Amino acid sequence: MTEFSEGHDDPFAPHLAALVVLDDRGVVVAWSRRAQELLGHPDTAVIGRPAFEILVDPVDLPAVTEAAAKCRRAGGWFGVLTLRHRDGRLVELGIRVHELSRDGGGREWFLAGAPAGDVLEWQRDRAVLDGLYRQCPIGLVIHGPDQRILRVNRAIERFSGVPAADFRGLSTGRLLLADDARKAVDRVRQVMQTGRPLVYSEQFVRLEQDPARERVALVSSFRMEDPSGRVLGVAEMIEDITERHRAQRRLALLDQVGSRIGTTLDVAETARELAEVMVPHLADHASVDLLQAVTRGEEPTRAAAGPVVRLGTCSVGAQQPGPPHPEGEPVEFGPGTPQAGCLAQGRPVLEPVLPPDWVSAAGRQGAQAPDLGAHSLIVVPLAARGLVLGVMTLWRSRRPDAFETDDLTLAQELASRAAVAIDNARRFTQQQQTAFALQSSLLPRAVPDQSAVEVALRYLPAGAGPGLGGDWFDVIPLSGARVALVVGDVVGRGIHAAATMGRLRTAVHTLASLDLEPDEVLSRLDDLVNLLAAEQEAVGERPLGEQVVGATCLYAVYDPVSGRCSMARAGHPPPAVTAPDGQVALLEMPAGPPLGLGGLPFEARDIELAEGSLLSLYTNGIIGQRHMDADVGLTKLCAALARPAGALERTCQSVVDALVPSRPSDDVVLLIARTRVLPPDSVASWRLPPEPASAGRARALASAKLTEWGLEHLAFTTELIASELVTNVYRYAGGPATLRLIREQCLVCEVSDTSHTSPHLRRARTTDEGGRGLFLVAQMTERWGTRYTRDGKTVWTEQPLTGTPV
């Protein structure tokens, strides 16, 4: 195993190499001791004999002959050859050949040889060293013991713009400004004296020839010593991280903007926050000027050039005067000024170098650069949603470097974020009014007619607080005389909460039409909320008010035939049930996570409700008002519901009077449903075996029951519907069927089985023997569909009790 070494000596050095001299005929005339060690031949055995005869194996003779020919043509040669050891084994040597001229015109050849492995290691070390000086992107500076520069690589040449040769002999830090040069000298002296290396030391660098441009370098230094311990100097690795440092600074500034700007809905406070964030990270002086219409909360006109009000200023240093015009004072921008053009056109202005007469130039006095020796200027519009709200002006006077294009891009980004916060404050009142109109239009205007429950409800919008909420309710008739009761609350406030509420309410209607179980409805609704959030993220960054944070919901389905109610909730307050005798209880049921959070499944609970029971659904606005603890609110809610049975509207209003103040801080929804149970003589149900005769029995049973109910005019269509649905069960489901007829506002015909296979409506071809049954059913009924349960499915149809079905 080869021992690792940190460096390799030149293998062709006289004390390490095998040295041989050949005359022009290839005869050995000189042979060193090292040659004997490597090849095993003593000098007495080789001197005077042809080298080819002694050292070259016949197999390798062509390669050696070709190398010799090249050597003669070029006067020298370097490469690897395989030679024969005295004991017969082959040895690979790196060989360097030089031509020697003798007096009298004769030629001899001087050969230096070393083991091929040593030569390759040495070549790699030389290649690394050469790469450090010629190709390495990281700068290398070699300082002598006297702290003068001995050599630099090409990366330093690119970094400084000074030729590498000009550095030789210069003292450390010679080309830097005084402050930066002093730090460089101290760093080299410290490493030279202590011997402790310095790793990743960050330093700001400004060159004498370009003092306005500030660079940032990452410096690592170490002391160089020879084998005896004598100090040879200090080597420094210097990496230009200017762009990386600027990017980090910009990211930090963006982070500050996100956390410090827009903390209130006050326009003036937001403008002051913006000016304070700019100084000193980006500018020495900053001012924020907004159109007067914006300060009043009005929408500005397009291309407005003024008047403006200065609402935010900030400058570097306590004793440094700030921009003219103190905060709160009107400012007039003269024609031709950068601010006037920026306001009118909505375009940023970058003037890296201001002319010496900038302050006194005609048309550029007053509201322009402060008399602080400002030398660079940026003006960016504060624009949000296509409207220019004002301008932000940045100056540099103490920092020597001028504003660059990247600084302008960052200022635009910061101004854009701040403009959204300013515009949010301006539009607060307008959003509140718009949200109320939108929310009112999205909520149901009337309770649909149905026979399952009697409903009383109250919806009260918030009378205070930052915008309206996203509370909603719904009463949705379902198949089989059932009804769905829904109450939900979108997290957040304002117009976006109202819009999200409308989308969720529409989704609930769609899911309810599929006759899904309550827990399945909430699962699908949860997927929708996650999808809405993902869509917003996919289109890029949006104002915080537009983010779908989540929602709570309670979904209940009541069946007046069985008197059972199935319900599930997603982070919503539990419903209250008032028994006919006045006893009130909050239902214990799994809470489930709010919509949009995911992670846990939703669970449904089934309960039996006696006829005349009150099922009360509500949002947290009724129990979580600012003046009331939630537990206290629940106690008061139960007390208000535990009153003798009376008019449902009166009960609903008494609950509102007991719990809701005149100006609620949150939206309030209260929905109270009094249960009904269909009379037994309005429902008929039969279980039919899985056999062909069941279709005929279904027709007979349906006809007899319709005659009993006085609905003979529906007998023909109902017989056909029942026969077709029962036949489908026999053919495709393979189990017993249950036929049920319900007489309420319409005639409901249902056929249930234990299969989850869905029937499909299709148009049969003329050559088909079947496939027309469901088509006929669809033509003869007003509505039809399929609902699924854990035990199977039910295909249902509805026919009007009078008239001809559409």
Side-chain angles (χ1 to χ4, degrees):
M1 180 179 294
T2 302
E3 183 179 357
F4 175 76
S5 175
E6 293 184 356
H8 300 275
D9 293 332
D10 184 355
F12 295 110
H15 66 288
L16 295 177
L19 306 178
V20 179
V21 178
L22 304 180
D23 63 14
D24 202 34
R25 297 171 302 161
V27 176
V28 178
V29 297
W31 185 263
S32 72
R33 180 176 299 176
R34 179 60 175 161
Q36 179 177 340
E37 292 174 358
L38 292 177
L39 296 174
H41 298 282
D43 55 356
T44 57
V46 295
I47 292 178
R49 297 178 62 185
F52 281 32
E53 175 185 326
I54 304 171
L55 303 177
V56 180
D57 190 92
V59 176
D60 299 314
L61 186 59
V64 176
T65 302
E66 181 181 356
K70 291 181 180 179
C71 180
R72 288 180 178 276
R73 289 194 300 269
W77 183 81
F78 172 73
V80 176
L81 291 178
T82 302
L83 302 180
R84 186 172 55 191
H85 193 273
R86 181 181 183 184
D87 59 12
R89 58 188 171 89
L90 299 179
V91 179
E92 280 193 341
L93 295 181
I95 297 177
R96 180 177 291 167
V97 184
H98 295 283
E99 181 181 354
L100 299 176
S101 297
R102 293 297 187 185
D103 296 338
R107 286 192 308 176
E108 291 183 344
W109 302 92
F110 179 76
L111 284 72
D118 294 346
V119 173
L120 292 175
E121 291 287 351
W122 177 72
Q123 285 182 312
R124 279 194 288 267
D125 288 351
R126 290 296 301 269
V128 170
L129 186 61
D130 185 69
L132 285 175
Y133 282 105
R134 297 179 182 276
Q135 300 176 12
C136 181
I138 299 176
L140 176 64
V141 181
I142 305 298
H143 303 269
D146 58 353
Q147 287 195 249
R148 291 189 175 275
I149 298 175
L150 301 177
R151 187 176 180 183
V152 301
N153 68 350
R154 291 181 179 176
I156 293 294
E157 183 178 275
R158 292 191 296 268
F159 179 72
S160 63
V162 178
D166 293 352
F167 279 88
R168 189 181 298 274
L170 295 179
S171 58
T172 299
R174 171 66 180 80
L175 300 179
L176 303 179
L177 292 183
D179 290 344
D180 298 335
R182 184 166 50 252
K183 295 176 183 177
V185 170
D186 292 343
R187 182 180 62 249
V188 173
R189 180 183 297 114
Q190 176 186 349
V191 175
M192 187 93 68
Q193 293 174 352
T194 65
R196 290 193 297 269
L198 224 103
V199 181
Y200 295 148
S201 173
E202 191 174 287
Q203 180 176 346
F204 290 88
V205 179
R206 290 169 296 172
L207 299 174
E208 287 183 338
Q209 64 182 23
D210 189 10
R213 184 182 179 189
E214 186 177 63
R215 299 172 175 85
V216 185
L218 203 62
V219 183
S220 295
S221 310
F222 62 93
R223 190 169 72 184
M224 300 181 297
E225 301 175 355
D226 65 10
S228 66
R230 182 167 57 96
V231 177
L232 302 178
V234 171
E236 288 190 314
M237 308 293 289
I238 302 176
E239 182 181 0
D240 184 1
I241 61 168
T242 304
E243 293 304 320
R244 186 195 314 170
H245 185 272
R246 289 178 179 175
Q248 291 174 345
R249 188 172 60 187
R250 293 182 184 115
L251 288 175
L253 193 54
L254 287 172
D255 182 65
Q256 285 194 31
V257 169
S259 60
R260 291 184 56 184
I261 295 180
T263 58
T264 67
L265 287 173
D266 183 86
V267 172
E269 179 64 24
T270 303
R272 283 191 291 270
E273 291 170 346
L274 176 59
E276 291 170 359
V277 167
M278 295 298 103
V279 178
H281 304 288
L282 187 60
D284 296 326
H285 317 281
S287 66
V288 178
D289 306 299
L290 299 180
L291 293 169
Q292 282 188 347
V294 176
T295 64
R296 295 191 298 264
E298 302 171 1
E299 185 169 297
T301 59
R302 295 186 180 275
V308 298
V309 177
R310 180 151 294 173
L311 294 182
T313 60
C314 190
S315 294
V316 175
Q319 64 273 17
Q320 285 280 353
H325 303 284
E327 294 180 4
E329 290 191 6
V331 178
E332 287 290 342
F333 294 131
T337 60
Q339 289 88 344
C342 184
L343 276 174
Q345 301 177 13
R347 296 179 180 176
V349 176
L350 169 63
E351 300 211 21
V353 180
L354 297 176
D357 61 343
W358 170 263
V359 177
S360 61
R364 299 200 172 193
Q365 299 184 20
Q368 304 313 306
D371 190 9
L372 299 168
H375 60 81
S376 193
L377 170 72
I378 282 179
V379 182
V380 292
L382 295 169
R385 302 175 182 91
L387 295 174
V388 177
L389 311 177
V391 294
M392 177 177 68
T393 308
L394 306 176
W395 294 272
R396 281 184 180 174
S397 59
R398 303 180 73 182
R399 294 176 58 168
D401 52 323
F403 285 120
E404 299 177 348
T405 303
D406 288 343
D407 297 319
L408 177 62
T409 302
L410 177 60
Q412 286 181 273
E413 175 66 21
L414 300 176
S416 176
R417 296 190 181 192
V420 172
I422 293 171
D423 197 47
N424 285 340
R426 178 193 65 80
R427 298 180 58 176
F428 170 64
T429 302
Q430 178 186 10
Q431 280 193 354
Q432 193 174 32
Q433 296 171 349
T434 306
F436 176 72
L438 175 62
Q439 193 175 36
S440 299
S441 66
L442 294 175
L443 290 172
R445 299 184 179 275
V447 177
D449 189 19
Q450 43 79 40
S451 56
V453 293
E454 176 190 358
V455 176
L457 58 88
R458 292 291 185 274
Y459 168 72
L460 302 174
L468 300 174
D471 294 16
W472 92 92
F473 60 91
D474 235 321
V475 179
I476 308 172
L478 302 177
S479 64
R482 299 169 306 134
V483 66
L485 306 174
V486 191
V487 169
D489 185 358
V490 175
V491 177
R493 307 188 67 82
I495 188 171
H496 303 297
T500 303
M501 175 270 291
R503 300 176 76 172
L504 294 182
R505 178 172 176 256
T506 301
V508 169
H509 266 269
T510 302
L511 295 172
S513 66
L514 299 177
D515 275 319
L516 301 177
E517 296 290 333
D519 54 342
E520 182 66 18
V521 170
L522 294 184
S523 295
R524 301 286 182 88
L525 209 58
D526 182 62
D527 292 339
L528 173 62
V529 174
N530 288 326
L531 178 61
L532 294 178
E535 287 179 351
Q536 291 182 348
E537 293 177 1
V539 298
E541 185 178 3
R542 300 171 68 88
L544 181 61
E546 298 186 34
Q547 299 296 325
V548 176
V549 178
T552 66
C553 183
L554 191 149
Y555 187 88
V557 175
Y558 175 69
D559 187 350
V561 177
S562 63
R564 296 187 64 82
C565 182
S566 178
M567 62 187 73
R569 62 182 179 134
H572 203 79
V577 175
T578 306
D581 61 1
Q583 296 293 321
V584 181
L586 294 174
L587 288 182
E588 295 184 2
M589 54 185 300
L595 301 175
L597 295 185
L600 294 175
F602 300 100
E603 299 181 39
R605 181 185 176 187
D606 294 345
I607 61 170
E608 290 189 6
L609 297 178
E611 185 174 11
S613 299
L614 300 185
L615 181 63
S616 301
L617 282 62
Y618 52 91
T619 58
N620 58 9
I622 204 169
I623 60 171
Q625 296 294 329
R626 294 178 182 174
H627 67 284
M628 186 191 311
D629 183 76
D631 292 336
V632 175
L634 288 173
T635 302
K636 288 188 174 183
L637 174 64
C638 293
L641 291 170
R643 295 180 180 176
L648 196 60
E649 286 290 336
R650 195 161 55 245
T651 301
C652 190
Q653 186 59 45
S654 65
V655 173
V656 172
D657 294 341
L659 280 83
V660 182
S662 58
R663 290 178 57 84
S665 59
D666 194 5
D667 286 9
V668 172
V669 169
L670 175 63
L671 188 155
I672 303 179
R674 176 175 286 150
T675 61
R676 297 169 178 161
V677 176
L678 294 183
D681 59 357
S682 294
V683 181
S685 179
W686 305 275
R687 189 171 180 81
L688 303 174
E691 57 186 28
S694 293
R697 178 164 173 73
R699 289 194 298 270
L701 292 172
S703 178
K705 180 54 68 173
L706 291 181
T707 300
E708 179 185 337
W709 285 344
L711 301 175
E712 295 88 347
H713 60 287
L714 297 177
F716 175 76
T717 55
T718 306
E719 287 180 26
L720 182 60
I721 293 169
S723 174
E724 177 59 33
L725 297 182
V726 171
T727 299
N728 283 345
V729 172
Y730 166 72
R731 287 182 175 177
Y732 306 112
T738 299
L739 172 64
R740 184 169 76 164
L741 298 179
I742 301 174
R743 179 186 60 177
E744 45 133 13
Q745 296 177 347
C746 61
L747 177 64
V748 178
C749 177
E750 297 180 344
V751 175
S752 304
D753 60 66
T754 58
S755 171
H756 288 87
T757 303
S758 175
H760 294 284
L761 178 65
R762 67 185 182 89
R763 189 177 297 275
R765 294 172 296 182
T766 56
T767 57
D768 291 343
E769 295 182 1
R772 300 174 179 82
L774 283 181
F775 180 78
L776 294 175
V777 169
Q779 297 299 310
M780 294 180 178
T781 59
E782 189 172 55
R783 291 199 313 151
W784 78 281
T786 306
R787 67 174 181 269
Y788 295 90
T789 65
R790 293 178 177 82
D791 301 325
K793 71 174 182 298
T794 298
V795 181
W796 54 268
T797 66
E798 291 181 0
Q799 302 175 75
L801 297 181
T802 60
T804 303
V806 181

